[in-house]
Each structure stands twice: as C-alpha cells, then as structure tokens.
C-alpha cells in the first residue's frame, strides 16, 4: 500500500511540475532567463543581480543545474536535424529536470536520514504529499536547489559520523564540494548545516585526513566557482581580476546586510517566518512537531529558521530547505481518530494550496508568452507591425526569453495606477490628427498605430474599454489564458471578502487585447 501511495504521489508531483504556474519572478530571472539567453542567444532581461558592476548571483550553480541540461538538450536537438530548440521545449525540460532531482535526490535523502523503518515511511509520504514538494521544489528556484544541497550535506555528514573505522575521505571530498556549491547558490545555506557541521569537529580531531580531504575538495570547488563566475561575467581572462574581485557570495552577503538594500525588496517583522511562513508551508503538520518524542531532525531547521528570522526580509520560500526536515521529524497523533482528522486536514490543505500555487497563481503568464511568440501578425486585419509594443499590466514580469526572438517589444508596467496605464496607451497609439501636405488632393496620413495590452480579466477598470463604451477606442480580445489568478489585485476594503473572491476567482484569466484608436473622418 505504501508503495502505491508513493507512486501515485509521484504522478501528482509530475503533474504540477508540468503546470505553468508562476510562483515568483525569481524562478525565472534568477536562473533560466539569463542562462537560456546566454546559451541559445535568446533576447533576455538581465536583472540587477547580474548586470551591476559587482554581480551578486553566482553563475556556478546556475550553469551546473540549468546550463548543463540546456547544452545537452541543444546537442540532442542538433542530432535530430533541428537547428534551434524552441523555448517551450527548454522550459518544460527544466521542469522535468527539477522533478527528477526532487523525486530522486530529495526522497532518497529523507530515506537515508530517517532510521526507523516505520517512521521512515511516514516521513517519505509526508514529504511526497506536501504541496511545497509538488510546486516550489519542481520550479526553478535557487531555494529548491538549496534544499537538495542541504539534505545531501546532512546525509554525507551522517555517513561520516556513522563510519567509526575509516576516515571517509571520499565522502568528505563530496561534502566539501557540496558545501561550496551550496554557499555559491545561496548565502543562507550555512544556516541549515551549522549544527550538523559542529558535530563533525570531534570526528575531525580523531581523523584529520577527513578534514584534509574536505578542505582540499572545497578549495578546488571554490577555485572552479571563481573561474566560472569570471568566465560568465568578464569577457577577457585576467588573473588579477580573479584575485582582486570579491567572490559573488561575499558580495551577496554585503548587499543583504544593508537594511537600505533590503528595503527595496520589502521589510518584515522578525516573527514573520515563525508565525506566518511556517504555518503557510506546513499547515496541519505544524502541531505535529510538538508531539513527543522529539526528533533530532528538528534542531537544524529550527536553528536555521531562527537565524533567518534575524534578517528583515523574509519570504516563505527562504524556508524551503527546512520543510522536508521538519516533516521528517513530525510524529503522527497517537489517537486513531486524531490521525484521521489530521489526514483529512492534510489532504485538503495541500490540495487547495497546490491548486492555487501550482496551477492558477499567475498561471497565464507563461502560456501567454508562448502564444505571443507564435503570433503571426499578418493575418490580422489590419496587420500588426512585427515590432508591436506589448504592455503587461498587473502581472509578474514576463519571461522575455520565451518569446523565441520575436520582434514584439515587451514593456512591463507592473502594477502602475490605471490612469498611468491609459497615459502609456495614449502615448503609444498616437493621435488621430492629420499631417500637413503640400500636394492638393492627397489625404494626410494618420499617425495612429495599434498595440497589445496584456492584463488580468479581473481588472474592473478595463470593463468600459473592452466593452466598447469609451468613444474613440477599440479593444479587440485576441486570446485568453484562463488558468490565471492575480492575487495582487485583492481589494478587501472596497469589495469585501465575497466581492473580492467573486471578482478575482470568478473573473480569472489573463487576456491580450489589441488596442487602437478609432479615428472618424
């Protein structure tokens, strides 16, 4: 029975891995956008982390996790006689890679970390049935990669400590490489392995060759990471620049230690992780952590959560590495009735959050970009210009590389006020005035042009325009991605709970309109 449940949950995980939800812009812009742009020469948007004079995002883990599959995919594609890999293929290939990494490495690590056979089955099923595993872990987040690095660092530490007779030189070498990889991936990585790492100190004293192997491997990995970052960011090789420029993790640390810098991303109270983010990620499993006997697996994630709570910028995904560790340390209630209640609550909680975060949350952005990349403007009446401007409003930033080199000009307006959106539309569509001409009998040319506007259907301000009630404007609906919810458009004060949910959920969808002026005479 356990095996059948586990395999069924694996299929559920695969379904959500292939669903085009968009949990956070970082899952695109902190990895696939830049790497795909560099490898396949797609147009792409480089965020401040990559484009500043002192970049804070290391290319070492990005090229390892995303770059190598892309290069392999490009090679396989050329072997079949095709020259260019479509962004759609790359996008879903990366999702499959993340699914495989989660299904194999994450579950395997939990299996090794939990010794009791009975509790091991429960831990694996809890992790495999969590919406966090289905959604966050199958998306291209650096936090998802960090989770795998943390879990396998703990596995390797456990193997070293359990081997009383040998020095575990090879295991220590792998651990040294993984620690450097984890630090270059995210600077929060050390917080999750701090306590288990301290447990290694007596072992290093007894068996110094273990420490020597770990240090040498870490040093080689550090040099490799530095060379990779230098190659990625600097066109010419220079030993002086390698030695003088601070490594990217140090630059990231210095950036995140500044409250001024963090204020641009949002500041949160110190209790946000404990009182908001952990309940959001664990749901009904959170009270299980209080059931004795207390597992030693709870100490590393608890310590990491407390350390990360000292940082004023706190997002739920920062705690991703802690979730499988917390779940592996949870104990089911002793009462059969309480266990049944928990199972019902657990299934309902994860089904609801998985549907929200894994299917509908900003779920129209990727399908919309893929649709626009294949849009042929010539059959439209009148035809659109190939370089037509596309305004995106009230959505997450769209991935530019998914346009597959299309000439469409993407403008991300984010959540600017509606009057500013109208101003942008008016400026781009031109006016209905006539240009002067010196030749009698020749009509003056119109200066108007059409644009495309992508916006959620839940935006009420657009209703008079798309329904044709505003004179002088034409809004033609071209296509809609229906599996899209815009949770940033909640207005509880004006609409109330029922009104807000009715508008955001009942009018879900992301639509692209062709917008132009109607000129008379």
């Amino acid at each position: 029975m356990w095996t059948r449940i586990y395999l069924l949950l694996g299929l559920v995980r695969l379904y959500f891995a292939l669903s085009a939800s968009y949990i956070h812009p970082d899952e695109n812009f902190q990895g696939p956008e830049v790497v795909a742009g560099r490898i396949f020469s797609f147009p792409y948007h480089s965020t401040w982390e990559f484009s500043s004079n002192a970049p804070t995002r290391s290319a070492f883990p990005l090229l390892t996790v995303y770059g190598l599959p892309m290069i392999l995919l490009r090679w396989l594609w050329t072997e079949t006689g095709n020259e260019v890999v479509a962004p759609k293929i790359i996008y879903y290939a990366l999702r499959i890679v993340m699914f495989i990494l989660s299904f194999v490495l994450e579950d395997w690590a939990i299996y090794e970390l939990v010794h009791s056979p009975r509790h091991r089955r429960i831990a694996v099923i809890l992790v495999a049935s969590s919406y966090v595993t289905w959604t966050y872990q199958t998306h291209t987040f650096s936090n998802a990669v960090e989770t795998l690095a943390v879990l396998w660092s703990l596995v390797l530490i456990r193997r070293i400590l359990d081997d009383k007779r040998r020095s575990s030189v090879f295991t220590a070498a792998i651990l040294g490489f993984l620690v450097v990889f984890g630090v270059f991936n995210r600077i929060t990585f050390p917080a999750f392995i701090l306590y288990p790492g301290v447990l290694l100190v007596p072992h290093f004293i007894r068996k110094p060759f273990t420490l020597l192997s770990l240090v040498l491997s870490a040093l080689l990995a550090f040099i490799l990471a530095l060379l990779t970052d230098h190659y990625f960011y600097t066109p010419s090789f220079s030993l002086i620049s390698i030695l003088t420029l601070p490594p990217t993790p140090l630059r990231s640390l210095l950036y995140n230690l500044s409250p001024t810098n963090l204020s641009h991303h949002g500041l949160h109270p110190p209790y946000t992780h404990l009182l908001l983010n952990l309940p959001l990620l664990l749901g009904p499993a959170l009270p299980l952590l209080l059931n004795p006997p207390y597992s030693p697996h709870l100490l590393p994630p608890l310590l990491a959560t407390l350390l990360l709570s000292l940082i004023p910028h706190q997002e739920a995904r920062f705690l991703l590495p802690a979730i499988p560790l917390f779940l592996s340390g949870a104990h089911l209630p002793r009462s059969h009735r309480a266990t049944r209640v928990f199972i019902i609550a657990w299934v309902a909680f994860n089904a609801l959050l998985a549907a929200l975060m894994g299917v509908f949350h900003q779920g129209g952005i990727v399908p919309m970009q893929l649709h626009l990349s294949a849009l042929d403007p010539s059959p439209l009446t009148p035809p659109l210009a190939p370089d037509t401007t596309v305004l995106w409003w009230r959505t997450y930033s769209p991935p530019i590389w998914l346009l597959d080199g299309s000439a469409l000009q993407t403008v991300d307006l984010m959540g600017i006020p509606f009057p500013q959106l109208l101003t942008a539309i008016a400026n781009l569509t031109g006016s209905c005035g006539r240009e002067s001409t010196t030749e009698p009998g020749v009509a003056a040319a119109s200066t108007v042009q059409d644009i495309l506007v992508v916006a959620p259907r839940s935006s009420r301000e657009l209703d008079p325009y798309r329904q044709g009630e505003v004179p002088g404007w034409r809004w033609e609906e071209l296509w809609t991605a229906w599996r899209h919810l815009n949770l940033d458009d909640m207005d509880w004060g004006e609409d109330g709970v029922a009104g807000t949910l009715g508008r955001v959920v009942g009018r879900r969808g992301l639509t692209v309109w062709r917008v132009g002026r109607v000129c008379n005479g």
Side-chain angles (χ1 to χ4, degrees), residues 91-229:
Y91 174 82
Y92 285 108
L94 290 179
R95 285 291 187 90
I96 292 176
V97 167
M98 297 304 295
F99 163 77
I100 294 174
L101 291 176
S102 171
F103 189 70
V104 176
L105 296 182
E106 183 179 10
D107 296 5
W108 183 4
I110 297 299
Y111 191 87
E112 284 214 27
L113 289 172
V114 181
H115 285 175
S116 168
R118 179 181 179 276
H119 188 58
R120 179 188 295 153
R121 288 196 299 265
I122 296 175
V124 170
I125 293 298
L126 281 177
V127 173
S129 61
S130 169
Y131 88 93
V132 175
T133 304
W134 298 343
T135 58
Y136 283 95
Q137 279 299 131
T138 59
H139 285 225
T140 49
F141 281 113
S142 62
N143 313 89
V145 177
E146 182 184 29
T147 300
L148 301 178
V150 168
L151 290 177
W152 274 94
S153 294
L154 299 184
V155 169
L156 295 174
I157 292 174
R158 171 66 62 82
R159 290 181 181 179
I160 293 174
L161 293 175
D162 289 346
D163 193 344
K164 305 298 184 181
R165 292 182 298 176
R166 294 178 297 179
S167 296
S168 303
V169 173
F170 182 70
T171 304
I174 299 176
L175 177 61
F177 180 90
L178 193 56
V179 167
V180 172
F181 177 88
V183 172
F184 272 77
N185 178 63
R186 290 192 65 84
I187 58 171
T188 54
F189 171 82
F192 293 95
I193 65 167
L194 178 61
Y195 172 72
V198 171
L199 299 179
L200 282 174
V201 174
H203 184 88
F204 289 152
I205 295 175
R206 292 194 306 268
K207 299 180 179 181
F209 282 105
T210 306
L211 176 61
L212 179 62
S213 175
L214 186 147
V215 171
L216 289 178
S217 174
L219 180 60
L220 291 176
F222 181 75
I223 294 174
L224 178 61
L226 287 181
L227 292 175
T228 303
D229 284 348

Side-chain angles (χ1 to χ4, degrees), residues 334-376:
R334 296 179 180 179
S335 165
H336 290 291
R337 180 178 181 182
T339 299
R340 287 196 297 269
V341 172
F342 164 74
I343 292 175
I344 294 173
W346 180 249
V347 171
F349 169 78
N350 287 289
L352 176 62
L353 269 296
L356 176 61
M357 305 304 294
V359 177
F360 291 101
H361 188 268
Q362 299 286 334
I365 294 178
V366 170
M368 180 63 70
Q369 280 291 69
L370 295 176
H371 175 81
L372 292 177
S373 70
L375 180 65
D376 185 3

